[in-house]
Amino acid sequence: MLSRAVECCPTSVELWLALARLETYENARKVLNKARENIPTDRHIWVTAAKLEEANGNTQMVEKIIDRAITSLRANGVEINREQWIQDAEECDKAGSVATCQAVMRAVIGIGIEEEDRKHTWMEDADSCVAHNALECARAIYAYALQVFPSKKSVWLRAAYFEKNHGTRESLEALLQRAVAHCPKAEVLWLMGAKSKWLAGDVPAARSILALAFQANPNSEEIWLAAVKLESENNEYERARRLLAKARSSAPTARVFMKSVKLEWVLGNIEAAQELCEEALKHYEDFPKLWMMKGQIEEQEEQTDKAREAYSQGLKKCPHSTPLWLLLSRLEEKIGQLTRARAILEKSRLKNPKNPGLWLESVRLEYRAGLKNIANTLMAKALQECPSSGVLWSEAIFLEARPQRKTKSVDALKKCEHDPHVLLAVAKLFWSERKITKAREWFHRTVKIDSDLGDAWALFYKFELQHGTEEQREEVRRRCENAEPRHGELWCAVSKDIANWQRKIGEILVLVAARIKNTF
């Protein structure tokens, strides 16, 4: 029936392809050859022929067919439309014809692209394929781009992140091995390789990668600190200590000193930590984190006067460090010196105008003291001085009485539309109104726009604990572990607490979520 239809309409591509689908492998090849003779200008016949060979295990023919397709179509006056071919490749990908999809990509990816636009265009093409879930297409683009730009760190990095998010551990590690051979000075590629091994529990392999990294990048601070972290996280404290001592003699940076102090502090060697801190401050008196640690160790030891002295000295050297001002004012607030805390924050705002973090603390200080009117007045001033601060707007929404919160959230979204803190506040608002679907949607938006904000993940997880399924909770937890957030007020309060120094991301998420009270 179909063969008669083809004889009647020899220029119908659909009929030829339908006939080929019904035939055995050998006959299908003959049908497609005949189709090409009758319709020499159609690309679908060529692509189908390549897919047929791939489906029958004849992958070495695939590349030849696609290359001949381009040559033959051009000879027949057909303009090669790059976009159409990329679409064909994506369809092959979805149909499971991986070799065909990759061959098409290799054949057309460079067509019609100016030399200086290649890298940029190809990276955009790869992103577009990922967005369409055509992962093999994206992989083929990265492979091709890396052949053309073998020494471009940025392309290796993009390819590595692609494998990390969409590939297997093996595919990531194989890519990184090639990457460091081409870009031995790219510390980040070595570190990704070591981390992948470490996460898989292969500590000796992670160690040897870092040793090789060190040969290529002697005295690199990042690699020193990665090696220290590897040892301390695996309870090899003596090794970590030795590495830090070596680092202090050959690459004595402020961060190396800071990590040295922290290691002794978390292990409970307070005297050693204090000595190292004093030594570090001789070299780096303008590094605020050292003063913060000095004060926090004194606070932990209940030496309030010494802590106050450390923070005050630190502020003389680092007057623009917001966390130092907050530590000093909270120290005074903790011992009941509200007036002193208030004066410290006023002074901090004079020295650091338009600083949302300091305004926020000033508002909260009054609120915690029960002086809600003063808190509201300060918030109005704060928003005048920092009109596009997401952290202030998100706080302002919840300072309002319930009926006014929605209006305030509309104002906040107008002022800072894409700010994660405002998006998070809107998610909380819907949650407080029991609008579950909308709240979930806004949580998704927040973590998409800023996956580094730990508070967003913790609130999202808490929300799913109350309103989601086991699967939804696990999904949030898994995505949070992949994102490895580092910031957020609630998040850092837990992750930087020395009692939690060895906790994994998933454990910190649970701890932060447990601290959140639904009082908004």
Side-chain angles (χ1 to χ4, degrees), residues 186-386:
E187 295 170 7
V188 62
L189 296 168
W190 289 105
L191 296 175
M192 280 178 86
K195 186 167 189 179
S196 180
K197 290 287 187 199
W198 169 51
L199 290 176
D202 192 346
V203 175
R207 256 187 215 127
S208 58
I209 288 175
L210 289 174
L212 288 168
F214 215 78
Q215 285 172 17
N217 302 275
N219 284 345
S220 151
E221 176 189 78
E222 286 294 338
I223 294 166
W224 271 120
L225 294 179
V228 169
K229 185 173 183 179
L230 178 70
E231 301 304 350
S232 59
E233 298 259 340
N234 287 289
N235 303 331
E236 296 277 3
Y237 306 129
E238 268 314 310
R239 278 187 156 185
R241 220 177 242 131
R242 284 202 303 275
L243 280 167
L244 281 164
K246 268 190 193 170
R248 287 197 303 278
S249 60
S250 56
T253 64
R255 277 180 72 212
V256 164
F257 269 110
M258 179 185 79
K259 298 289 181 187
S260 305
V261 176
K262 181 146 189 211
L263 180 68
E264 298 304 343
W265 182 14
V266 296
L267 294 176
N269 304 323
I270 300 300
E271 262 183 57
Q274 287 173 321
E275 279 170 25
L276 277 167
C277 202
E278 289 304 328
E279 189 192 337
L281 284 167
K282 286 175 195 162
H283 301 281
Y284 297 103
E285 58 177 21
D286 57 350
F287 190 63
K289 284 186 178 176
L290 290 169
W291 292 106
M292 286 156 65
M293 288 166 101
K294 182 177 173 161
Q296 285 168 314
I297 293 171
E298 298 295 3
E299 266 194 80
Q300 184 187 303
E301 297 295 292
E302 296 182 352
Q303 299 285 335
T304 305
D305 291 342
K306 285 184 178 177
R308 182 189 291 124
E309 175 63 17
Y311 296 144
S312 304
Q313 269 187 300
L315 283 166
K316 283 177 191 154
K317 305 291 179 190
C318 320
H320 303 303
S321 166
T322 303
L324 262 176
W325 286 108
L326 300 188
L327 282 168
L328 181 57
S329 101
R330 283 173 192 168
L331 177 69
E332 300 299 358
E333 184 188 2
K334 193 167 77 179
I335 57 172
Q337 297 286 345
L338 188 65
T339 314
R340 212 183 261 172
R342 192 180 283 136
I344 287 162
L345 288 171
E346 279 172 13
K347 186 177 174 185
S348 75
R349 296 199 312 269
L350 279 173
K351 286 186 184 284
N352 301 279
K354 297 186 178 171
N355 182 315
L358 295 171
W359 274 109
L360 182 62
E361 185 67 12
S362 307
V363 170
R364 286 179 177 171
L365 178 72
E366 305 304 343
Y367 197 83
R368 288 194 291 262
L371 304 166
K372 292 184 183 166
N373 288 342
I374 299 179
N376 283 321
T377 311
L378 274 174
M379 181 56 88
K381 280 186 190 170
L383 287 171
Q384 271 182 330
E385 199 172 296
C386 313

Side-chain angles (χ1 to χ4, degrees), residues 86 89-90 93-94 98 101-102 105-106 109 122-146 155 158-163 166-167 175:
I86 289 178
E90 289 184 358
D93 191 342
K94 286 177 184 132
V98 173
C101 120
Q102 293 180 336
M105 275 300 188
R106 281 194 293 273
I109 196 79
W122 292 342
M123 294 304 103
E124 278 188 350
D125 290 337
D127 288 344
S128 158
C129 290
V130 171
H132 299 154
N133 205 26
L135 302 182
E136 290 302 335
C137 287
R139 191 170 274 123
I141 293 171
Y142 284 125
Y144 189 86
L146 288 168
V155 181
R158 294 280 285 268
Y161 282 124
F162 168 77
E163 292 298 348
H166 304 287
L175 180 98

